[in-house]
Amino acid sequence: MVAALRAAGAIPFVMTATTEFATGSPFNPRYGAVANPWDATRWTGGSSTGSGAALAARLLPLALGTDTGGSIRVPSCWCGTTGLKPSRERVSRAGVAPLSWTLDHVGPMARSAADIAASFPVMTALFDAGLSAECEGLRHGPADVAGLRIGVPCGWFTDQVSSDVLSNWRSALTVFETLGCQLVPMPQIDVEPLHKAGWTILLSELATYHEERIDRAALFDVGLVHRLRQGMEIRASDYGRALQMRLQAQETVMAAMAGMDLMITPGLGGEAGRLDTLTVDVDGRNVPFQDIISRNTMLFDLTGFPALMLPSGLGQHGLPTGIQIVGRPMDDGLCLRAGVAFQATTSHHRALPPRLEVPA
């Protein structure tokens, strides 16, 4: 992917931080925690920590990330930037150290959906004339979303979510209505077993990849070691059943989206989590990171459907919140079109962390 960008004229100039092997704790034992530019006591979200922070701090216009349970979309949400987890295998994973070869995705992170649209066609593993034409159109004219049917989910995607995140999500849906979209209530999806299957796959494959190094566990991040131990305790039969659930997950989401063009969910359930407690504030309840971070994102790693995270406003603590635009397989361009249209009408993606604002 880097080679393709370089060939198109991009200038790679920095390697940013990540949690260890994309699954360690926020406190990397060698480099420390990546603080959120909006509030240094808060985390960026992971695992693509440095990419999210660098974009929010306006150090660069485009960054790369990997996404296995949400690692592009989580820092995009908490840092107030925009990130696309592409359709499964649409972008090459060549050269990427695997976390979970069944779930891993590589994708772009930027300040806006328009910036992603300008660069995404050269990132794909195979040239796609249709995608290239659609993204080129987004650079030179308004993004027309009139007539799109937008699925509005309930249940799992809204249950563990703070009231301000929900309020900003509903306001975003209203914006899409004003743009000519039709909001369609979705049937409730039983996400919990699918979410658990995704984690079973991730932990099993993580342990398989690192098993030969487990005798050097003392050198690893403690968060990574914890997940390695979890993965090594999973039975082969449970891993096999989790893999079998991928088709069920794809069929379930496709059925729920029948007659709809896109689904729009809330992003993460709360504003950026606190580094001192490793918790997220959900209407006064301190909820552990693990219960929030991948809750609304893992399903789309399991299914491989494209998902775009973008800012939806600020929460009660003045930190970014997000929405997630989900499409059917290979509808990455449609997700970007909806994102560009939304950001042409709103200014959430242009908001700056307080310390970057120029005094009047």
Side-chain angles (χ1 to χ4, degrees), residues 9 24 36 48 69 71 97 99 122 149 166 170 179 192 200 209 242 272 298 309-310 313 330 341 343 359:
N36 194 311
S48 303
S71 296
L99 163 53
V122 303
R149 290 170 59 85
L166 288 174
R170 294 187 184 106
L179 292 171
E192 185 172 8
T200 296
Y209 181 69
M298 170 62 85
M309 186 73 74
L310 62 165
M330 305 304 284
Q343 291 180 333

Side-chain angles (χ1 to χ4, degrees), residues 67 69-74 76 82-88 105-109 116 120 157 262-266 296-310 323-336:
D67 197 308
S71 296
I72 286 172
R73 291 161 291 161
V74 172
S76 295
T82 303
L84 174 68
K85 183 205 75 65
S87 296
R88 173 76 177 166
H105 298 71
V106 182
M109 302 167 67
I116 292 178
F120 185 58
F157 295 104
L262 297 167
M263 175 199 318
I264 299 182
T265 79
N296 283 0
T297 55
M298 170 62 85
L299 177 62
F300 306 111
D301 289 291
L302 181 64
T303 61
F305 290 13
L308 178 73
M309 186 73 74
L310 62 165
I323 57 170
Q324 178 178 225
I325 301 174
V326 180
R328 292 183 178 82
M330 305 304 284
D331 271 352
D332 308 65
L334 183 59
C335 292
L336 289 171

Side-chain angles (χ1 to χ4, degrees), residues 121-145:
V122 303
M123 300 182 191
T124 57
L126 298 173
F127 176 72
D128 185 323
L131 174 67
S132 183
E134 184 166 16
C135 288
E136 184 68 17
L138 294 175
R139 295 178 62 187
H140 300 292
D144 183 11
V145 293

Side-chain angles (χ1 to χ4, degrees), residues 16-356:
T16 60
T18 179
T19 58
E20 190 166 85
F21 286 101
T23 190
S25 78
F27 299 99
N28 187 294
R30 277 157 286 283
Y31 304 107
V34 178
N36 194 311
W38 286 83
D39 181 342
T41 69
R42 309 282 183 138
W43 195 32
T44 56
S47 61
S48 303
T49 52
S51 291
L55 286 163
R58 301 304 194 263
L59 300 179
L60 39 78
L62 179 71
L64 305 182
T66 59
D67 197 308
T68 306
S71 296
I72 286 172
R73 291 161 291 161
V74 172
S76 295
C77 182
W78 277 358
C79 294
T81 58
T82 303
L84 174 68
K85 183 205 75 65
S87 296
R88 173 76 177 166
E89 302 293 7
R90 192 154 202 183
V91 173
S92 172
R93 291 179 291 125
V96 178
L99 163 53
S100 165
W101 55 86
T102 305
L103 301 175
D104 289 345
H105 298 71
V106 182
M109 302 167 67
R111 300 174 193 168
S112 69
D115 285 352
I116 292 178
S119 53
F120 185 58
V122 303
M123 300 182 191
T124 57
L126 298 173
F127 176 72
D128 185 323
L131 174 67
S132 183
E134 184 166 16
C135 288
E136 184 68 17
L138 294 175
R139 295 178 62 187
H140 300 292
D144 183 11
V145 293
L148 290 183
R149 290 170 59 85
I150 304 293
V152 181
C154 60
W156 176 269
F157 295 104
T158 57
D159 286 346
Q160 189 80 284
V161 179
S162 69
S163 55
D164 47 345
V165 172
L166 288 174
S167 177
N168 288 346
W169 169 63
R170 294 187 184 106
S171 295
L173 292 173
T174 299
V175 170
F176 280 101
E177 273 194 305
T178 65
L179 292 171
C181 299
Q182 180 182 353
L183 303 184
V184 183
M186 294 183 66
Q188 189 160 322
I189 303 172
D190 186 12
V191 178
E192 185 172 8
L194 307 176
H195 181 78
K196 289 180 177 178
W199 272 103
T200 296
I201 294 167
L202 186 155
L203 293 171
S204 298
E205 296 182 354
L206 170 72
T208 301
Y209 181 69
H210 288 290
E211 185 178 24
E212 64 184 27
R213 289 174 286 276
I214 198 64
D215 60 335
R216 291 183 284 165
L219 300 177
F220 284 159
D221 177 293
V222 293
L224 172 61
V225 172
H226 174 68
R227 285 182 168 169
L228 283 174
R229 300 292 186 195
Q230 285 181 300
M232 294 174 73
E233 293 174 0
I234 294 172
R235 297 182 304 176
S237 58
D238 292 332
Y239 171 61
R241 274 191 291 272
L243 287 174
Q244 289 178 327
M245 291 182 72
R246 162 165 279 171
L247 179 59
Q248 176 189 335
Q250 292 169 335
E251 291 176 341
T252 297
V253 177
M254 286 292 283
M257 291 181 68
M260 304 169 200
D261 298 293
L262 297 167
M263 175 199 318
I264 299 182
T265 79
L268 272 67
E271 296 162 83
R274 298 188 63 88
L275 281 166
D276 57 351
T277 61
L278 302 185
T279 60
V280 178
D281 179 4
V282 180
D283 290 340
R285 293 183 297 112
N286 291 325
V287 183
F289 279 2
Q290 185 65 28
D291 295 341
I292 293 292
I293 284 181
S294 66
R295 182 180 175 92
N296 283 0
T297 55
M298 170 62 85
L299 177 62
F300 306 111
D301 289 291
L302 181 64
T303 61
F305 290 13
L308 178 73
M309 186 73 74
L310 62 165
S312 61
L314 303 178
Q316 62 177 334
H317 300 294
L319 303 174
T321 64
I323 57 170
Q324 178 178 225
I325 301 174
V326 180
R328 292 183 178 82
M330 305 304 284
D331 271 352
D332 308 65
L334 183 59
C335 292
L336 289 171
R337 176 159 38 117
V340 170
F342 178 76
Q343 291 180 333
T345 308
T346 62
S347 59
H348 307 309
H349 63 294
R350 289 193 288 272
L352 289 171
R355 64 179 179 168
L356 297 184

